[in-house]
Amino acid sequence: MNNLLEMRAITKTFPGVKALDKVDFTLKKGTVHALMGENGAGKSTLMKCLFGIYKQDSGDIYIDGEKVSYKDTKDALDSGVAMVHQELNQVSMRSVAENIMLGRFPSKHGMVDSKKMYKQTQDLFDRLGLDFDPKKIIGKYSVAERQLIEIAKAVSYDAKILVLDEPTSSLTEAEVDKLFEIINKLRDQGVGIIYISHKMEEILSISDYVTIMRDGKFISEKSAADLTTDEIIRLMVGRELGDDNFHTDKYIRDEIMLEVKNLTGRYQPTIKDVSFKVKKGEVLGIAGLVGSRRTELVETIFGLREKESGQVFVDGKEVDNKNPREAIKNGFALVTEERRATGIIPYGDIRFNSTIANLRNYSSKGVVNDRALKENTDKVIEAMKVKTPSQHTKIMNLSGGNQQKVIIGRWLLTDPSILLLDEPTRGIDVGAKYEIYKLITELASTGKSVLFISSEMAELQMVCNRIMVMSNGRLAGIEENNESLTQEKIMALQAKYV
């Protein structure tokens, strides 16, 4: 089988770091080729060289045997190479159709032909079996739904090479099945698909081949049928991780740290009459389908969303978090689901992003204590194992996983009593996930309370003491995390109020 794509000895250096070191990658027509590695391994950088976002320092790229060098992303798209990025980059206040057709609107008499635009978008959704309204404002859809829309947009270019960077990071099981249907259709049509993911089961079920990278270098290319999860992890991290279970009840104390009573949000869609308690040293998992309002729950507690009624108590004292500033003062910290949109300040460096939640503590009488800023940023980099050349590296130049580590480190500097984590391991490699699990356990051991939202049931069972299930904005139940807890029980609760 001829290679559709060949990338030979690709090298790319940024100030202070060699992101790619003579990396080879091949893609055959009509196959799914997984690209795997820890965050910072160079996967996204390699694909950005292919897609015209970066220009490699050395090395060559061939498509159908012809050498190519795209000057920008439009050049790549016009040549049949499409890429769905891990971080969504959509115009949230415009319609679905406008986002799909951005930069290539159909026109009539010098004006945008809206009727044709909506029809072309609807035809695309019908072809892919997706149920979205082309006229609806895209920002009104959930992150998972917008992810599927972005994938549909990439397919609309009729690309012969499609790059999917963490496409299922926020999708439900049913949505993953729908995505795999689309991928299989495209594979049958001869499209070559490069699939970047940290989810081992997905990789082994959907891929034909797997290439593994580590620290900017090519490590291995193998048939997916010849690999196991343990072998992939060993090649990715260069060591055995073991079978650690981070779930333990030994740190739970008798005192209630957080109590939520009959909490209801003000603006629909929202949460309704939610009540629960979290003890000191406890990790409470929050499960639920897309639309269950898990995010709305923690954002209402944190003061990002206005409440209609209900009470929140911290250590027995009622608090009223009208905004995030008051929440921080009352001992809360929130790591949001969409780090690019609501987490990082992309053009700020690591020092700024690490210390921004606590800036008042670094100044006295208008004079900034630069030494304290440096010391605390060093703490974040060391504690979170952030891979970076220096504190002054712009956070936008870090991998997604390292950006997430900085955000978590930022909140730890505020010394919170209650940490709200919304999909904290989304798009993070297996090694970094284990580091975050260990961190959560360490926080619990000091008496802090953690609310941990995740779409991965196995992750919740590995880390949490109890699992709370949300369903359509309501509390469907809270289960002890023990041997009798099954995924079927959680799934039944998720559907309770749907």
Side-chain angles (χ1 to χ4, degrees):
M1 189 186 292
N2 294 329
N3 289 329
L4 174 59
L5 167 69
E6 291 185 45
M7 304 182 76
R8 302 177 185 169
I10 305 297
T11 297
K12 178 66 180 175
T13 302
F14 296 105
V17 61
K18 183 174 274 190
L20 299 172
D21 187 2
K22 297 180 180 177
V23 175
D24 293 331
F25 181 82
T26 59
L27 174 68
K28 299 181 188 302
K29 185 177 180 180
T31 64
V32 177
H33 196 131
L35 183 57
M36 302 192 71
E38 292 190 275
N39 291 108
K43 309 181 299 296
S44 294
T45 302
L46 183 67
M47 291 300 100
K48 286 176 180 177
C49 289
L50 168 65
F51 198 52
I53 297 173
Y54 296 150
K55 172 64 179 171
Q56 66 268 26
D57 301 330
S58 61
D60 299 308
I61 301 173
Y62 297 83
I63 294 179
D64 284 329
E66 293 188 12
K67 188 174 178 179
V68 299
S69 180
Y70 301 130
K71 60 180 182 291
D72 54 32
T73 58
K74 185 179 185 303
D75 194 13
L77 285 166
D78 291 343
S79 300
V81 180
M83 182 173 178
V84 179
H85 298 274
Q86 179 182 344
E87 305 291 352
L88 296 174
N89 191 17
Q90 297 167 327
V91 185
S92 60
M93 296 308 294
R94 307 305 297 180
S95 72
V96 170
E98 287 172 305
N99 274 273
I100 293 278
M101 295 296 175
L102 194 63
R104 49 188 177 135
F105 294 120
S107 61
K108 186 176 182 180
H109 307 308
M111 304 287 286
V112 173
D113 188 344
S114 297
K115 186 175 180 180
K116 186 176 182 180
M117 176 178 68
Y118 292 134
K119 184 180 186 307
Q120 287 179 338
T121 304
Q122 187 61 59
D123 288 346
L124 172 68
F125 291 154
D126 290 344
R127 177 159 60 96
L128 297 176
L130 296 174
D131 184 21
F132 296 114
D133 180 358
K135 297 181 180 180
K136 185 173 178 177
I137 298 299
I138 199 168
K140 293 186 177 180
Y141 280 110
S142 69
V143 174
E145 290 166 330
R146 286 162 54 198
Q147 188 101 26
L148 285 174
I149 292 168
E150 195 70 11
I151 291 165
K153 177 181 178 179
V155 172
S156 74
Y157 283 93
D158 294 322
K160 55 188 173 184
I161 296 174
L162 178 60
V163 182
L164 301 176
D165 191 351
E166 296 288 352
T168 65
S169 58
S170 59
L171 302 187
T172 65
E173 191 172 327
E175 288 164 333
V176 171
D177 290 341
K178 173 57 67 177
L179 172 62
F180 282 7
E181 281 181 30
I182 295 170
I183 289 174
N184 285 324
K185 283 181 186 176
L186 295 172
R187 174 163 48 189
D188 292 343
Q189 294 167 13
V191 176
I193 298 165
I194 302 171
Y195 192 95
I196 301 175
S197 177
H198 298 302
K199 298 183 178 180
M200 305 293 171
E201 291 180 5
E202 286 182 8
I203 290 295
L204 294 176
S205 67
I206 196 66
S207 304
D208 300 297
Y209 300 94
V210 179
T211 287
I212 296 170
M213 296 176 63
R214 190 193 320 140
D215 296 330
K217 294 185 174 74
F218 169 86
I219 298 298
S220 173
E221 180 190 318
K222 294 189 178 185
S223 167
D226 296 332
L227 285 168
T228 64
T229 296
D230 288 343
E231 176 69 1
I232 292 174
I233 292 173
R234 187 187 64 78
L235 290 168
M236 279 174 56
V237 303
R239 65 188 190 279
E240 302 289 347
L241 285 180
D243 298 318
D244 295 318
N245 187 346
F246 300 92
H247 160 229
T248 176
D249 294 333
K250 67 181 180 182
Y251 301 127
I252 298 178
R253 306 177 187 181
D254 292 334
E255 307 98 307
I256 301 297
M257 174 65 83
L258 171 68
E259 182 174 5
V260 174
K261 285 185 177 180
N262 310 113
L263 192 63
T264 297
R266 181 172 293 279
Y267 302 109
Q268 297 294 332
T270 187
I271 55 170
K272 303 165 191 172
D273 196 30
V274 176
S275 299
F276 62 93
K277 298 177 183 178
V278 188
K279 292 182 177 181
K280 292 182 179 179
E282 182 179 12
V283 181
L284 178 67
I286 305 179
L289 302 174
V290 171
S292 64
R293 316 289 175 232
R294 300 171 306 173
T295 294
E296 285 83 349
L297 172 63
V298 294
E299 288 185 348
T300 303
I301 292 172
F302 194 67
L304 272 174
R305 294 175 183 265
E306 195 173 344
K307 72 175 183 180
E308 175 72 36
S309 59
Q311 297 170 289
V312 176
F313 297 85
V314 175
D315 216 2
K317 178 184 176 183
E318 185 172 2
V319 298
D320 187 13
N321 297 332
K322 290 188 173 65
N323 53 56
R325 182 179 297 172
E326 289 187 12
I328 294 169
K329 193 183 298 182
N330 289 324
F332 290 86
L334 171 63
V335 176
T336 58
E337 179 181 11
E338 289 191 79
R339 59 175 166 263
R340 184 172 181 178
T342 56
I344 66 168
I345 294 87
Y347 290 97
D349 61 13
I350 293 172
R351 181 182 294 187
F352 181 72
N353 275 275
S354 295
T355 57
I356 188 172
N358 218 11
L359 280 177
R360 289 184 177 181
N361 291 353
Y362 301 110
S363 62
S364 177
K365 297 179 180 179
V367 178
V368 175
N369 187 338
D370 192 65
R371 181 178 176 182
L373 287 171
K374 180 181 183 304
E375 288 176 352
N376 279 327
T377 306
D378 279 338
K379 285 181 184 177
V380 170
I381 292 171
E382 184 178 345
M384 301 305 300
K385 297 183 173 64
V386 179
K387 293 180 180 177
T388 177
S390 78
Q391 293 189 3
H392 299 295
T393 300
K394 288 183 179 178
I395 196 168
M396 63 186 287
N397 292 331
L398 298 184
S399 67
N402 282 299
Q403 290 176 3
Q404 188 76 316
K405 290 178 183 180
V406 172
I407 294 168
I408 294 173
R410 168 203 300 167
W411 287 111
L412 295 184
L413 288 178
T414 68
D415 192 27
S417 301
I418 301 161
L419 193 59
L420 312 173
L421 303 176
D422 193 351
E423 299 282 10
T425 65
R426 179 184 170 212
I428 286 181
D429 64 76
V430 64
K433 280 186 177 183
Y434 272 57
E435 290 169 12
I436 290 176
Y437 299 157
K438 286 179 182 176
L439 176 67
I440 290 171
T441 304
E442 288 169 8
L443 290 170
S445 73
T446 64
K448 297 182 188 301
S449 300
V450 181
L451 273 63
F452 182 13
I453 295 176
S454 176
S455 299
E456 296 184 37
M457 188 59 197
E459 182 171 72
L460 293 176
Q461 289 182 301
M462 183 182 290
V463 178
C464 303
N465 303 111
R466 293 183 298 152
I467 297 174
M468 179 169 79
V469 184
M470 295 291 293
S471 177
N472 196 27
R474 297 181 180 274
L475 175 60
I478 301 178
E479 297 289 334
E480 292 291 334
N481 184 13
N482 52 35
E483 292 179 358
S484 67
L485 181 61
T486 63
Q487 293 203 21
E488 289 76 16
K489 185 181 286 187
I490 296 296
M491 289 170 67
L493 288 171
Q494 288 175 338
K496 186 173 181 179
Y497 297 114
V498 174

